[in-house]
Amino acid sequence: MIPGPTRETRSLKHPVEDFVLPAGVKRIAAAVEYCGSAFSGWQRQSHSPSVQASVEAALSKVANEGISVICAGRTDTGVHATNQIIHFDTAAKRKDSNWLLGANANLPFGIRLHWVSEQTADFHARFSATARTYRYLIVNQPQRSALFYHGLSWEKRSLETPGMHRAIQLLIGEHDFSSFRASGCQSNSPNRNVHRARVWRQANLVIIEITANAFLHHMVRNIVGALVCIGRGDRSIEWLRELLLLRDRTKAPPTAPPNGLYLVKVNYPDGFRVPQMVPGPQFIAEV
């Protein structure tokens, strides 16, 4: 097995330009789409199936050697991705198309690679990323969806999306997000920089999208929990700002379920050859 770089323990702000691969070793990147409902999150687990373990097993068969992958952002149990970015180092000589077709032939139906591309040694799926975008999907109708039970959250009370959109604008910029941070979050700092945020409706589907430099554990789902309260009319728009300034998770509403959450985009500097994809999921009309 070709070991990954030891930078995994470093801060997100630390560069990786000085990392040099061993002779004959290449760094490969790929985009992974997965339905998280059948897995105990992204990260490899000793007691239950994970997306990471499935991807590594498939790539290892293609490489005929052990492959260890690093992702842009680890997702929790039940959370999905349309565009998770990974990288791995290998001495195996394979074409990009061989990696792609071979891995997909060995992956379960709930996981697929969409592209594979060789990268320079200074590319790092996590530390080279400048932003990540998550989307949270809520079916807003009297009854829960039968077809998309595992892929949509549900709210039976009518949600007023213009108010939710105005509220989420209050989170743009760099803030202390302690009110929206899981108690078990291991990040050294509660500060994150939200670049862009919006809420819109597509028929009975309410979509919440947040782009930030990085996210705290459960940050998006905790924000969604507050936005739903505002959308139902239980709380005012300004209440979201009050929650943010309180910096107290106990004052915020419960965490939204995981099944509506998708990692849909990861941004990298233009110097890296990272193909662009439609964020998705594919049944959403882009606006």
Side-chain angles (χ1 to χ4, degrees):
M1 179 183 296
I2 302 297
T6 59
R7 306 304 177 93
E8 198 62 42
T9 58
R10 297 175 60 174
S11 163
L12 289 173
K13 295 183 178 180
H14 286 186
V16 293
E17 286 82 0
D18 57 335
F19 182 78
V20 178
L21 293 171
V25 174
K26 295 180 179 180
R27 176 151 297 182
I28 309 294
V32 189
E33 176 188 23
Y34 52 87
C35 175
S37 58
F39 303 97
S40 297
W42 166 267
Q43 191 171 7
R44 191 188 308 111
Q45 306 284 337
S46 60
H47 59 281
S48 55
S50 69
V51 180
Q52 181 181 9
S54 296
V55 172
E56 289 177 340
L59 289 170
S60 295
K61 287 185 178 180
V62 179
N64 198 29
E65 66 179 21
I67 295 292
S68 177
V69 305
I70 292 173
C71 71
R74 289 175 291 200
T75 54
D76 293 331
T77 300
V79 176
H80 320 291
T82 63
N83 197 21
Q84 170 77 273
I85 305 300
I86 64 169
H87 83 257
F88 59 94
D89 298 336
T90 178
K93 300 185 187 305
R94 306 285 187 274
K95 295 180 180 179
D96 292 348
S97 58
N98 294 142
W99 286 114
L100 182 65
L101 296 175
N104 283 339
N106 288 285
L107 283 168
F109 288 131
I111 307 174
R112 279 297 175 270
L113 302 190
H114 280 284
W115 56 257
V116 176
S117 174
E118 183 179 343
Q119 299 290 332
T120 54
D122 58 340
F123 176 83
H124 194 287
R126 181 184 177 194
F127 296 126
S128 297
T130 57
R132 294 128 174 107
T133 300
Y134 281 88
R135 283 179 174 173
Y136 194 91
L137 278 54
I138 305 170
V139 60
N140 190 204
Q141 59 190 29
Q143 303 300 327
R144 189 186 298 273
S145 171
L147 292 178
F148 300 105
Y149 175 81
H150 293 294
L152 299 174
S153 184
W154 173 54
E155 173 55 48
K156 64 181 179 181
R157 292 173 58 182
S158 179
L159 295 175
E160 202 268 323
T161 51
M164 296 169 69
H165 177 74
R166 291 196 298 274
I168 204 172
Q169 304 312 301
L170 301 174
L171 303 182
I172 292 178
E174 183 166 349
H175 303 285
D176 181 330
F177 283 92
S178 293
S179 291
F180 305 102
R181 176 184 189 176
S183 59
C185 181
Q186 298 179 358
S187 174
N188 292 329
S189 171
N191 284 33
R192 293 295 185 268
N193 192 329
V194 173
H195 301 167
R196 185 170 182 254
R198 56 180 179 149
V199 180
W200 75 97
R201 177 182 288 275
Q202 178 183 313
N204 288 341
L205 195 62
V206 174
I207 303 109
I208 300 165
E209 178 183 279
I210 307 178
T211 300
N213 64 328
F215 289 87
L216 300 167
H217 191 203
H218 288 178
M219 177 174 158
V220 176
R221 290 166 57 194
N222 289 334
I223 290 172
V224 170
L227 287 173
V228 168
C229 291
I230 294 170
R232 291 189 305 220
D234 297 336
R235 295 286 187 167
S236 69
I237 291 172
E238 284 298 318
W239 173 69
L240 194 65
R241 188 198 306 274
E242 296 169 10
L243 274 182
L244 183 68
L245 296 177
L246 282 173
R247 302 175 183 176
D248 185 349
R249 176 69 193 119
T250 66
K251 304 298 182 183
T255 305
N259 53 309
L261 186 58
Y262 295 76
L263 172 60
V264 300
K265 186 176 183 180
V266 185
N267 294 85
Y268 295 95
D270 293 338
F272 295 120
R273 301 185 303 275
V274 178
Q276 296 298 308
M277 293 175 57
V278 175
Q282 294 179 5
F283 51 82
I284 290 181
E286 296 300 315
V287 296

